[in-house]
Amino acid sequence: MQELIAALPQIDKTTVYRTIELFETLGIVQRLQIGWKYKLELSNAYQDHHHHITCVRCGQTVALPENDVIEEHLLNLARQAGFTPQDHQLEVRGLCPACQ
Ligand SMILES: [Zn+2]
Ligand SMILES: [Zn+2]
């Protein structure tokens, strides 16, 4: 969000916030909770689904390779809880190679 505002100095801050809110409402972007902060990313409908790993020290986020076993397992767990799963987010936290 701060990056977006910094990248668009000619656009009013309020306009940026309103546009993001609209995109969220429309399901174009989604908030990804990273600890106490969040990142905005394109919704699954607009990109291939993936899980993330985030470095707790430098904050870089990397998409993990897709894994059908994990996908199926998560869906099954949701169904066992009586839900019809639609979407999920999965984030692993750790230290990236550079920060270890
Ligand atoms: Zn790192
Ligand atoms: Zn997944």
Side-chain angles (χ1 to χ4, degrees):
M1 186 71 97
Q2 297 311 318
E3 290 96 321
L4 253 182
I5 289 162
L8 302 165
Q10 71 278 23
I11 296 172
D12 181 61
K13 208 172 164 178
T14 321
T15 309
V16 177
Y17 279 109
R18 282 213 195 103
T19 309
I20 297 291
E21 266 177 33
L22 177 67
F23 280 3
E24 269 192 283
T25 309
L26 296 173
I28 297 167
V29 297
Q30 60 187 17
R31 277 169 207 243
L32 203 67
Q33 205 65 40
I34 312 277
W36 63 93
K37 292 190 283 185
Y38 67 88
K39 275 180 198 260
L40 289 164
E41 85 164 10
L42 281 175
S43 299
N44 292 333
Y46 294 85
Q47 65 169 11
D48 291 336
H49 174 72
H50 54 247
H51 301 157
H52 298 90
I53 186 156
T54 300
C55 178
V56 294
R57 199 164 287 171
C58 71
Q60 76 157 306
T61 303
V62 174
L64 293 172
E66 284 189 63
N67 185 307
D68 290 343
V69 177
I70 293 176
E71 292 301 313
E72 206 37 55
H73 195 59
L74 280 170
L75 294 179
N76 283 334
L77 286 172
R79 288 187 194 113
Q80 279 167 30
F83 280 71
T84 302
Q86 294 181 332
D87 185 25
H88 66 261
Q89 298 179 355
L90 198 141
E91 192 217 350
V92 181
R93 277 185 282 272
L95 289 171
C96 75
C99 290
Q100 281 167 32

